[in-house]
Amino acid sequence: MIGSLLLSMLIIAIAIALLSVKVIVKKNGQFESQHIHDSKAMKKRNIHCVLSQDKEARQENRAY
């Protein structure tokens, strides 16, 4: 039981360390935004946040 708990904590610690390499190593490093409206690929496909879509639909009286 204790062994599996320690192994789990080790795996989580390694994962966090690997995820933060870019932030630690790069000068003024920071995580990229995870918001849909900041994604270039989503902008190309004309996909944006559901809250924005809802707001637009309500303004055009198309909200269901």
Side-chain angles (χ1 to χ4, degrees):
M1 176 77 179
I2 297 293
S4 62
L5 180 64
L6 291 174
L7 180 63
S8 299
M9 289 176 60
L10 178 64
I11 291 172
I12 292 170
I14 291 171
I16 290 172
L18 291 174
L19 286 170
S20 62
V21 166
K22 181 179 178 183
V23 175
I24 294 170
V25 173
K26 188 176 178 184
K27 185 177 181 180
N28 295 328
Q30 51 185 287
F31 288 110
E32 295 179 13
S33 174
Q34 298 298 313
H35 294 280
I36 291 175
H37 67 270
D38 293 333
S39 171
K40 292 177 187 176
M42 293 296 156
K43 285 181 182 178
K44 272 186 185 177
R45 294 181 179 100
N46 200 21
I47 297 172
H48 46 276
C49 176
V50 68
L51 296 176
S52 299
Q53 289 177 337
D54 182 56
K55 183 178 178 182
E56 290 172 6
R58 289 179 187 276
Q59 288 175 345
E60 297 172 6
N61 289 329
R62 293 186 304 122
Y64 296 105

